Amino acid sequence: MAQAFGKTWWGRQWLNSLNNIDFENRLPRGSSYARKGAVTTIDINGNQINAKVSGSRPRPYNVTITLPPFDDFALNAFIDRLTQQPAVISKLLNRELAPEVLELSKKMGLEVFPRQWSDLKMTCSCPDWAVPCKHLAAVIYKVSTAIDNDPFLVFSLHNIDLVNELNRRQVFVTKENTAIPFIADLYFEEPKKKSKPAVYNPENAYRKLSYAALKPLHEPLIALLADYPVFYPGGGNFRDKYAACLVRSVKKAQKILQGKASLEVAAGKAPKSEPSIDTHSQPEIVVNEKLRPSALINGTAVSLPDLLVQLLQIPAAGIPDYQPATAFLHTTLYLALHLLANGGVVPQIVQQPDHNFSIRWLPAMLSEPVRVLITQLQEMQPPGIFRLQESSKQVAINKDTAINLLAVFLTDLVAMLQEKDTDDLLLDLFFSRASHAFKAPAEATLSGGIQAWLQKYYLTAAAYKPQVVVEETTAERFSISINISDKNKPLQGHMPLQEILSGNKFARQRFQVLQSLTQLSGFINGLDAYINEGADTPIVMDNAAFTTFLLQMIPAIQLLDIDVLLPKALQQVLKPQPSIKLTAQKGKSFLRLDELLDFDWQIAIGDTLLNEAEFKQLLRRSDTLIKYKSQYIYVSKAELEKLHTHFSAAKKLSGFQLLRAALSSDYYGAKVNMTGEVRDLIKTLTQVQEVPLPAGIHAQLRPYQQRGYSWLYRNAQIGFGSVIADDMGLGKTLQVITTLLKYKEEGL
């Protein structure tokens, strides 16, 4: 599928400059030129675009596109109005241009986007007399890609530094919060104060980690990412391709842990004939500035995949015989495999010193169980086994060492467990340890587009963390408000967003807070308006809107490690379940409990049981929340149909099903209602008491034989069969004969 241009609404607005062209055959030829790489350079200087486009002649053609300047009065009016919409500014910092910008610019008389080709001044050195020619069209298409990934270009192409203009008006914004980190920033930090290093206990390296709390995360984590990310120049949905590659690694990691595959086989790697790790080895991990890792074993350099394969060959029971470094790396590898097998990993784009970009894989720190394991791993790590190889020396990494070491293992595992390179630049960037400079024309903004796509995974890594507060109001309405906490001041607690948006106290932090918060706009309908209005009035949702928010959006918000405070009535929404009411049949002889029972269908709501008429009166509608006593009920249309099917079912429950419900007081997870008569029957038949012997038995039963006989008889009364097993000569036959005589005596 061919590359698409203008993937965002603002990118498509830019392509309006190709409207009303008399020679429309230039457009498909221009897009073809853009796709095949004919545009060799693009240089944006103020409101002028200078480019070179290869054509039929040896030298590329020179293309110049000039945008008209803004009227100063209209521009100032526009920016003044923009400062009153902090949600719009915050989204812009997240590389998203809100539609309100277009509406506002039109009101202020600003032509932010061209309406047709004649709105731009365009020249090309080619002999084609048409304007725009295919070379001009190719440049316009390529620029649309850059605009898709960085909407600030919409303003800088008019020679406007929007960040500077906002700062001049005391609206303190910066693009640094979304800057792609350099490796050195991730690996090193200055000691906060000089102090003696903590004494390391080598026994820590032999601790065991429990992975029981880990849950599958890859599907919900993938669902947080946007469909059709604009940075992807290829055809199709990059998120789907990303998901397929990630799931491949997840499934292979699962097979390794299940013993169904070895790492070397899963990675297509031949095992080494002679393992180099022995009980005296002190393995070390070294990463170079391009994030390429290696290992040192007994002073000999080996590849990280070789080390991982050897570590997996060490049985867990034998680890105490090895050195602390080996024990720790063995645990680190198993943690990495468990994280990958559960999809508890997220990608991060990073910069190398030469300004190439690469992707590394991190543990999903937005998951509480993952964070607990990382904390435990950090306590186990021996000092000095993880270093960065700089140009002429190795430096011990001292920042987030457990996370960074796990990232080294995870990144290699993800790549090892892929089948092969994909010949797709961006998929290889994510899954094959590739790096890329993004220096081709219109590529410079793509790395930022990747960063913006992944930003939700790191929302709570910022200094300020949001909290969503839900409250009940009257008339089946619910209010939503936002609080903010400063992670650097944990004792301060949460403060209302209104406090941050008002006054000057938080003027310099305001947009740092909002830049993270507006990432939730897709989950909380009305959040942008709430922010723009100063958070003075909570967001109010009716029952239908809140039901969707509660059942679909809140789980996604919580997955992002954001607290959601719900009133007690909403903390556990009840789901109606089919149940039964057990009654005793009249006129039945007293022998088997399952033959004495009858039933009526009922509906269980928590511990409360309703009959069909009561339930129909309560449930006047489906697909919304219904207040019942002090809690809420939710039932979908599909679930309601299933309940009606239970009510109208003509078939009876079997004796075994009735017996199971009676003895367990449970019907497929729902409480069972029983009359007092049924409860008395169960009590009588299940009491442990001695049963009188039949008159026809001419034998003296020993105490254990008497108990066995009573047990056989009681089981038959309840409706159970029995199997009696014991050593030879202990009277099994006597117990059975006695039971049969008892049946005969009672006329059975």
Side-chain angles (χ1 to χ4, degrees):
M1 187 180 294
Q3 176 184 357
F5 297 103
K7 294 184 176 182
T8 60
W9 74 262
W10 55 92
R12 290 189 291 274
Q13 287 288 325
W14 165 255
L15 291 179
N16 284 342
S17 55
L18 298 177
N19 284 349
N20 299 326
I21 294 177
D22 294 331
F23 304 95
E24 293 185 357
N25 65 322
R26 303 299 195 278
L27 297 186
R29 294 175 69 185
S31 62
S32 177
Y33 266 48
R35 290 188 184 98
K36 71 180 185 180
V39 182
T40 59
T41 65
I42 294 179
D43 178 38
I44 298 175
N45 185 12
N47 63 331
Q48 190 173 87
I49 303 169
N50 297 303
K52 292 185 180 295
V53 183
S54 297
S56 57
R57 296 186 178 182
R59 292 185 177 180
Y61 298 112
N62 296 317
V63 167
T64 301
I65 301 173
T66 305
L67 281 75
F70 284 145
D71 174 78
D72 288 342
F73 179 81
L75 174 63
N76 287 325
F78 167 77
I79 296 178
D80 288 342
R81 289 287 298 275
L82 187 62
T83 61
Q84 300 170 22
Q85 300 197 43
V88 173
I89 298 171
S90 302
K91 286 189 169 184
L92 188 57
L93 294 170
N94 291 325
R95 295 178 178 253
E96 179 185 352
L97 193 62
E100 292 91 332
V101 171
L102 183 60
E103 180 182 347
L104 182 59
S105 65
K106 288 181 177 179
K107 285 183 179 179
M108 299 297 106
L110 282 185
E111 294 296 340
V112 174
F113 297 101
R115 291 172 298 176
Q116 56 187 2
W117 69 270
S118 58
D119 288 346
L120 307 179
K121 182 180 179 181
M122 298 186 278
T123 62
C124 179
S125 62
C126 74
D128 192 346
W129 49 267
V131 177
C133 63
K134 56 183 174 289
H135 311 106
L136 284 163
V139 174
I140 289 171
Y141 279 120
K142 291 296 287 185
V143 171
S144 75
T145 298
I147 289 175
D148 275 337
N149 285 280
D150 186 3
F152 275 101
L153 275 175
V154 171
F155 300 95
S156 59
L157 282 171
H158 289 278
N159 207 20
I160 299 300
D161 184 341
L162 187 58
V163 170
N164 184 55
E165 290 293 333
L166 291 169
N167 287 336
R168 284 176 51 204
R169 290 164 172 80
Q170 303 299 302
V171 177
F172 299 106
V173 298
T174 176
K175 297 168 74 173
E176 293 179 2
N177 293 333
T178 53
I180 298 172
F182 282 91
I183 292 170
D185 297 329
L186 299 169
Y187 278 178
F188 301 105
E189 63 183 352
E190 292 293 331
K192 294 180 180 178
K193 59 181 180 179
K194 290 186 178 181
S195 59
K196 291 183 179 180
V199 177
Y200 175 73
N201 182 358
E203 292 299 318
N204 291 353
Y206 299 94
R207 293 177 183 173
K208 303 296 182 184
L209 297 181
S210 172
Y211 309 110
L214 291 177
K215 305 296 181 187
L217 285 174
H218 54 285
E219 290 185 0
L221 286 177
I222 290 169
L224 292 174
L225 298 172
D227 266 331
Y228 295 94
V230 297
F231 63 80
Y232 186 58
N237 185 358
F238 181 79
R239 192 181 79 168
D240 291 343
K241 298 178 181 182
Y242 165 92
C245 289
L246 180 56
V247 168
R248 183 180 300 121
S249 291
V250 167
K251 289 183 176 179
K252 288 188 175 182
Q254 291 170 350
K255 287 184 177 181
I256 292 170
L257 290 173
Q258 293 163 0
K260 297 179 180 179
S262 64
L263 179 59
E264 56 267 36
V265 171
K269 186 176 181 62
K272 294 178 74 70
S273 56
E274 290 292 334
S276 53
I277 294 182
D278 57 37
T279 55
H280 302 290
S281 299
Q282 294 278 10
E284 301 168 310
I285 306 297
V286 180
V287 182
N288 66 21
E289 292 178 317
K290 292 184 177 293
L291 279 184
R292 293 289 182 174
S294 61
L296 288 175
I297 303 176
N298 302 328
T300 302
V302 299
S303 71
L304 186 66
D306 282 341
L307 173 69
L308 301 183
V309 168
Q310 291 187 51
L311 286 172
L312 279 181
Q313 292 171 349
I314 302 174
I319 281 296
D321 297 330
Y322 287 78
Q323 297 299 311
T326 303
F328 170 73
L329 293 176
H330 186 269
T331 300
T332 303
L333 173 56
Y334 269 92
L335 175 54
L337 282 169
H338 277 277
L339 289 174
L340 186 54
N342 284 281
V345 296
V346 294
Q348 180 188 41
I349 185 168
V350 297
Q351 285 194 73
Q352 300 170 2
D354 59 2
H355 295 283
N356 277 356
F357 296 89
S358 57
I359 294 287
R360 67 175 192 156
W361 288 83
L362 300 177
M365 297 297 286
L366 40 69
S367 164
E368 175 66 21
V370 173
R371 292 198 299 273
V372 169
L373 287 167
I374 300 305
T375 300
Q376 294 172 350
L377 186 70
Q378 184 71 56
E379 295 170 351
M380 297 167 59
Q381 182 171 338
I385 67 168
F386 184 32
R387 300 192 300 275
L388 177 69
Q389 177 69 59
E390 295 183 339
S391 56
S392 59
K393 60 179 179 178
Q394 291 184 1
V395 184
I397 294 165
N398 68 354
K399 182 179 181 181
D400 299 328
T401 51
I403 294 175
N404 281 315
L405 183 56
L406 262 175
V408 171
F409 280 35
L410 286 169
T411 303
D412 258 45
L413 284 172
V414 167
M416 290 171 69
L417 299 181
Q418 294 299 307
E419 293 175 354
K420 59 182 180 179
D421 289 351
T422 62
D423 294 325
D424 182 310
L425 184 151
L426 286 167
L427 283 177
D428 288 343
L429 185 74
F430 275 80
F431 296 100
S432 297
R433 292 175 296 206
S435 60
H436 191 65
F438 294 109
K439 291 182 179 178
E443 274 193 358
T445 61
L446 298 190
S447 58
I450 296 172
Q451 170 86 338
W453 191 59
L454 301 175
Q455 200 61 32
K456 283 189 178 70
Y457 290 152
Y458 304 97
L459 194 154
T460 54
Y464 297 94
K465 183 177 178 180
Q467 178 191 62
V468 180
V469 181
V470 176
E471 294 180 293
E472 294 180 87
T473 63
T474 57
E476 294 191 333
R477 290 179 175 269
F478 305 86
S479 70
I480 299 162
S481 55
I482 305 294
N483 292 333
I484 302 294
S485 64
D486 185 345
K487 292 168 66 175
N488 297 319
K489 299 177 181 178
L491 298 179
Q492 182 174 279
H494 291 84
M495 66 189 86
L497 179 63
Q498 180 187 31
E499 186 177 335
I500 289 175
L501 296 180
S502 60
N504 296 322
K505 182 178 179 181
F506 296 99
R508 293 191 176 275
Q509 295 84 17
R510 187 170 298 148
F511 282 92
Q512 187 179 352
V513 172
L514 294 180
Q515 191 171 347
S516 295
L517 182 58
T518 50
Q519 296 271 355
L520 301 181
S521 293
F523 302 112
I524 306 176
N525 189 29
L527 179 60
D528 291 352
Y530 174 71
I531 293 170
N532 289 335
E533 293 165 4
D536 291 331
T537 305
I539 302 165
V540 177
M541 295 184 181
D542 61 19
N543 193 311
F546 182 76
T547 300
T548 302
F549 176 69
L550 177 69
L551 300 179
Q552 298 179 18
M553 299 306 171
I554 284 182
I557 293 171
Q558 290 172 326
L559 181 62
L560 292 170
D561 189 33
I562 293 173
D563 294 333
V564 179
L565 297 186
L566 292 168
K568 186 177 180 180
L570 288 167
Q571 289 175 6
Q572 185 178 4
V573 175
L574 301 176
K575 291 269 190 176
Q577 295 176 279
S579 185
I580 54 176
K581 179 179 180 180
L582 293 175
T583 57
Q585 295 191 47
K586 303 297 183 184
K588 287 278 186 177
S589 61
F590 182 78
L591 175 63
R592 287 173 44 144
L593 177 61
D594 58 335
E595 293 179 352
L596 294 173
L597 298 177
D598 202 354
F599 77 99
D600 292 309
W601 287 119
Q602 291 203 318
I603 297 294
I605 300 175
D607 291 332
T608 302
L609 292 163
L610 305 176
N611 61 32
E612 182 179 7
E614 291 170 330
F615 180 67
K616 284 183 176 180
Q617 183 178 1
L618 172 68
L619 199 68
R620 299 181 301 277
R621 60 185 185 274
S622 59
D623 286 325
T624 58
L625 293 170
I626 299 168
K627 189 71 176 282
Y628 178 67
K629 297 183 178 178
S630 61
Q631 288 185 281
Y632 280 90
I633 303 169
Y634 173 78
V635 58
S636 67
K637 289 181 180 179
E639 291 167 332
L640 190 58
E641 286 297 324
K642 289 181 181 179
L643 291 171
H644 285 314
T645 300
H646 273 283
F647 279 137
S648 59
K651 65 179 182 179
K652 287 278 188 179
L653 294 178
S654 68
F656 173 75
Q657 289 173 308
L658 291 173
L659 182 62
R660 181 173 60 184
L663 295 177
S664 66
S665 299
D666 177 274
Y667 180 74
Y668 295 102
K671 180 182 177 181
V672 170
N673 191 3
M674 290 182 280
T675 63
E677 188 176 4
V678 171
R679 292 185 186 279
D680 290 340
L681 283 174
I682 294 172
K683 182 178 180 180
T684 299
L685 293 172
T686 56
Q687 280 181 337
V688 179
Q689 61 184 17
E690 190 173 293
V691 177
L693 294 174
I697 190 72
H698 300 292
Q700 184 174 353
L701 273 66
R702 295 175 179 174
Y704 71 87
Q705 294 170 334
Q706 175 74 43
R707 290 193 300 272
Y709 150 70
S710 299
W711 176 74
L712 290 169
Y713 181 76
R714 289 296 183 195
N715 283 352
Q717 282 189 307
I718 296 172
F720 284 168
S722 300
V723 175
I724 185 168
D726 209 338
D727 290 339
M728 293 180 62
L730 294 182
K732 296 187 293 295
T733 304
L734 177 60
Q735 295 171 59
V736 172
I737 291 172
T738 305
T739 305
L740 294 174
L741 281 174
K742 184 69 171 177
Y743 292 165
K744 183 178 180 181
E745 185 179 276
E746 294 185 352
L748 299 175

